[in-house]
Amino acid sequence: MITSTSNQKVKELIRLKEKSRIREEEKLFLAEGPRMAEEIPMEWIDCLYVSESYEKKCGEQTAAYKKAGVRTETLSDEVFARVSDTKTPQGVLAAVHMPEYSFADILGVKKAAAHTHVQRAFMQDPFEGHFAARDGAAGRARLPLVLVLDNLQDPGNMGTVFRSAEAAGASGILMSKDCVDVYNPKVIRSTMGAIFRLPFYRAEDLPGAVMELKAGGLRVYAAHLEGRRTYDGEDYRRGCAFLIGNEGNGLRQEVAECADCRIRIPMEGCTESLNAAVAASILLFEAARQRRGK
Amino acid sequence: MITSTSNQKVKELIRLKEKSRIREEEKLFLAEGPRMAEEIPMEWIDCLYVSESYEKKCGEQTAAYKKAGVRTETLSDEVFARVSDTKTPQGVLAAVHMPEYSFADILGVKKAAAHTHVQRAFMQDPFEGHFAARDGAAGRARLPLVLVLDNLQDPGNMGTVFRSAEAAGASGILMSKDCVDVYNPKVIRSTMGAIFRLPFYRAEDLPGAVMELKAGGLRVYAAHLEGRRTYDGEDYRRGCAFLIGNEGNGLRQEVAECADCRIRIPMEGCTESLNAAVAASILLFEAARQRRGK
């Protein structure tokens, strides 16, 4: 059991919690809580940390992870509280390998290859080769539904967007490189596990990536306060993408200009706009509604 | 200018920021930031506090408030930072009288009488008399659309629900008394001003209040993971109400049992549920969509 906060592993966990740069360097992030831990694909877990109290109360849980080949480590309650990102730690925290997705994964045309860099290293041709081997003829063709995020900043919004997007059947998320770090502990928490299942891709050049979506046959809609068309007057029963902008400033002009069409969600009262995660959810669930044949 | 944090007014502002009980006793709450301040009906403002820097930079704004009869007070930047609820204070903070709504106000049948207790005191028959005088024949009959919140706990969710509800054209919000305090600074901020416009009512007995809605002719839908009907298969072009439950536990059984019908939002993937504010928004905007005649 680790009982000192000056332990090297503990210091590393704290850095992983606090610093986006360290997460990127180590290709690791943290996911906390017993419910969240259940959502993590076993093979993604680098190490599972449990508090002394949790180990005493739920030792059989930890034993099950160990049996499945997951490395575990016990921390004193005091040390656990220090590495935890919550006020009332629940005693379970995993260091998780980051998944690596290709741009094609967010289109969902082939089953997403959610693989960490560790797994990738064992593959000769990690993207194409894997698709061919694993999906083959069984790979289901899914109608692409991509959410594109331009400079989204709020961690809660980012997590909620992942949660809604998975539930609405989106194929993936494309985001500008200046969006909030998806591996921020608050984002991870708000995804409620969707971060482990929904493919996402961070584009160096967002307008360029959106043009690639268009070249691939997707119709691109920009959620825009000045859109002349209402969102529910469009037909989303084909491959499509929705562009969602920053909380305060909306879409950057160069991103909005990539869209085929600007749509707006009609609003009553004096509200100027909707919360970004809410606007994204309304669009995604309208697409889901239409695709169910209503 | 107030330069000391031991000033009596400053102490009171800090208590108003931090303590729900004090807000309730004083019937005052705080709203922060220049954009938020613009949303407050002038006559609701008890006092407008500005920082020294803000006064220097935007003195004409403060002067306009003074001219309109609003009491203003300047605080040194250091004192302002102490009373502010944000990390980067913008230099404007208002102490605002709480509005008082009747249960009937959330139905929107008559134009909502958003009056603070101060204004009420000058009315002989504050509810009925006011309606008759102000609305008279001009009072527009609006189709009731009520959002009912059972033990909603997250301040961000509560604020977002207000913002979405106003935008979707809801007539009002009914909430259980154990919901998060709507006057919590984080709630106020997340409403983006909708708190000043959308009628709401806190019920001592929520199931009883929902039965009153039903007695008034509203059809009551419970958002429920076990709902057998999908949300978009119902007709909301009549007076209706949506019940939304707690973030972790959903609706309490005694509340869900009041509903005429349980509806669910179909979900793909492995997500167990949607964020409460998102679920509320999807239902409200489906009602808005139907009412626009689509």
Side-chain angles (χ1 to χ4, degrees), chain A residues 81-95:
Chain A
R82 185 67 190 83
V83 297
S84 167
D85 189 53
T86 62
K87 280 182 197 159
T88 48
Q90 294 181 280
V92 181
L93 175 83

Side-chain angles (χ1 to χ4, degrees), chain B residues 33-86:
Chain B
R35 287 189 64 174
M36 186 60 83
E38 283 173 26
E39 311 275 344
I40 313 170
M42 288 272 192
E43 63 277 18
W44 292 27
I45 302 178
D46 178 62
C47 185
L48 187 80
Y49 298 89
V50 294
S51 70
E52 194 181 359
S53 301
Y54 183 86
E55 179 65 32
K56 270 187 197 144
K57 216 171 48 192
C58 312
E60 76 286 0
Q61 297 284 354
T62 327
Y65 277 103
K66 271 184 195 147
K67 207 173 161 188
V70 173
R71 201 149 54 97
T72 64
E73 193 81 73
T74 307
L75 310 178
S76 70
D77 288 4
E78 201 192 328
V79 170
F80 194 93
R82 184 68 189 86
V83 298
S84 166
D85 189 52
T86 61

Side-chain angles (χ1 to χ4, degrees), chain B residues 99-275:
Chain B
E100 289 193 355
Y101 296 103
S102 72
F103 181 76
D105 286 339
I106 62 167
L107 297 173
V109 176
K110 291 169 180 169
K111 200 163 181 310
H115 275 85
T116 66
H117 66 114
V118 178
Q119 293 171 291
R120 290 265 192 234
F122 290 93
M123 294 176 198
Q124 282 223 295
D125 181 358
F127 296 114
E128 288 313 311
H130 171 73
F131 281 141
R134 173 160 144 187
D135 296 315
R140 64 179 168 143
R142 164 178 225 168
L143 209 50
L145 178 59
V146 178
L147 195 63
V148 183
L149 306 174
D150 181 25
N151 192 28
L152 199 76
Q153 286 305 308
D154 182 81
N157 280 346
M158 178 62 90
T160 303
V161 157
F162 266 82
R163 185 178 178 187
S164 286
E166 186 194 12
S171 51
I173 294 182
L174 174 64
M175 59 187 87
S176 63
K177 65 172 195 291
D178 55 3
C179 281
V180 59
D181 178 15
V182 293
Y183 298 114
N184 171 316
K186 186 160 165 42
V187 174
I188 299 295
R189 207 178 315 133
S190 310
T191 69
M192 297 294 277
I195 189 78
F196 303 118
R197 299 179 293 260
L198 192 68
F200 57 93
Y201 191 84
R202 210 169 182 100
E204 284 293 320
D205 165 24
L206 191 66
V210 173
M211 296 314 280
E212 271 192 67
L213 293 177
K214 285 171 80 168
L218 273 67
R219 189 160 167 82
V220 176
Y221 297 92
H224 208 284
L225 297 176
E226 288 158 24
R228 269 179 309 151
R229 303 186 190 208
T230 58
Y231 78 106
D232 55 328
E234 301 297 309
D235 187 351
Y236 306 123
R237 291 169 302 174
R238 51 170 292 182
C240 61
F242 294 117
L243 313 186
I244 298 285
N246 168 270
E247 287 86 353
N249 308 313
L251 286 166
R252 278 176 281 217
Q253 202 182 338
E254 63 268 33
V255 179
E257 278 169 359
C258 297
D260 292 299
C261 174
R262 293 184 185 198
I263 51 174
R264 109 192 117 74
I265 301 173
M267 293 187 288
E268 292 195 42
C270 302
T271 35
E272 285 178 23
S273 64
L274 291 168
N275 166 282

Side-chain angles (χ1 to χ4, degrees), chain A residues 35 39 142 160 163-164 166-169 191 194 197 230-233 247-248 265-275 277-278 281-282 285-286 289 292 294, chain B residues 35 39 142 160 163-164 166-169 191 194 197 230-233 247-248 265-275 277-278 281-282 285-286 289 292 294:
Chain A
R35 286 189 66 176
E39 311 275 343
R142 165 177 224 168
T160 303
R163 186 177 177 188
S164 286
E166 186 193 10
T191 69
R197 297 178 294 260
T230 59
Y231 78 105
D232 56 326
E247 287 86 354
I265 301 172
M267 292 187 290
E268 293 196 42
C270 302
T271 35
E272 286 178 23
S273 65
L274 291 168
N275 166 282
V278 165
S281 303
I282 289 171
F285 276 89
E286 172 63 12
R289 196 185 68 81
R292 280 200 316 279
K294 290 291 164 80
Chain B
R35 287 189 64 174
E39 311 275 344
R142 164 178 225 168
T160 303
R163 185 178 178 187
S164 286
E166 186 194 12
T191 69
R197 299 179 293 260
T230 58
Y231 78 106
D232 55 328
E247 287 86 353
I265 301 173
M267 293 187 288
E268 292 195 42
C270 302
T271 35
E272 285 178 23
S273 64
L274 291 168
N275 166 282
V278 165
S281 303
I282 290 172
F285 276 89
E286 171 64 12
R289 195 185 68 84
R292 280 200 315 278
K294 290 291 164 84

Side-chain angles (χ1 to χ4, degrees), chain A residues 173-228:
Chain A
I173 294 181
L174 173 64
M175 59 187 86
S176 63
K177 66 174 193 291
D178 55 2
C179 281
V180 59
D181 178 14
V182 292
Y183 298 113
N184 172 315
K186 188 159 164 39
V187 174
I188 299 296
R189 208 180 312 132
S190 309
T191 69
M192 297 293 277
I195 188 76
F196 304 118
R197 297 178 294 260
L198 191 69
F200 57 94
Y201 191 84
R202 209 169 183 101
E204 283 295 319
D205 165 24
L206 192 66
V210 174
M211 294 315 280
E212 271 193 67
L213 293 178
K214 285 171 81 167
L218 273 69
R219 192 163 165 81
V220 176
Y221 298 91
H224 207 284
L225 297 175
E226 288 158 25
R228 270 179 309 152

